[in-house]
Amino acid sequence: MELHTIGIDLGKTVFHLVGLNLRGEVVVRKKFSRLQLLRFTANRQIQLIGMEACGGSHFLGRALREQGHEVRLDSGAVCEAIREDEQE
């Protein structure tokens, strides 16, 4: 399974991940704890990881950058607009 980009929806204890291949097709949807997520990403080559900027995202972003991934944090307004488009 080739992952190019992943998006992470952060929660207090559970994180939802959606993984896209190079063509933008969804190839994986999974639910993880923080430790499980870091184990999942540890041995994978992922071009870009995106998530909403909040208190917990900064810790997770640093941990993912230490693994060698490019991490982008988006404002809540951007993520909310994307969620609204998906529901329509």
Side-chain angles (χ1 to χ4, degrees):
M1 167 178 41
E2 182 79 22
L3 286 175
H4 181 267
T5 304
I6 63 173
I8 303 171
D9 184 19
L10 304 171
K12 286 190 178 194
T13 58
V14 177
F15 305 100
H16 294 270
L17 176 141
V18 175
L20 307 174
N21 63 15
L22 191 57
R23 293 177 289 197
E25 300 166 336
V26 175
V27 292
V28 64
R29 290 180 191 266
K30 291 193 176 220
K31 181 169 61 169
F32 294 105
S33 69
R34 184 184 320 266
L35 183 58
Q36 290 170 332
L37 177 64
L38 291 173
R39 286 182 184 156
F40 179 80
T41 58
N43 297 320
R44 288 189 162 65
Q45 297 277 329
I46 302 168
Q47 290 293 113
L48 177 63
I49 298 174
M51 64 184 118
E52 182 178 353
C54 65
S57 66
H58 297 286
F59 167 81
L60 188 58
R62 282 192 302 271
L64 292 168
R65 283 186 186 107
E66 287 175 7
Q67 292 179 349
H69 304 295
E70 179 183 349
V71 178
R72 292 191 192 161
L73 304 178
D74 290 324
S75 70
V78 171
C79 295
E80 191 171 313
I82 292 169
R83 277 190 222 114
E84 288 175 2
D85 286 343
E86 290 175 353
Q87 291 175 358
E88 293 177 353

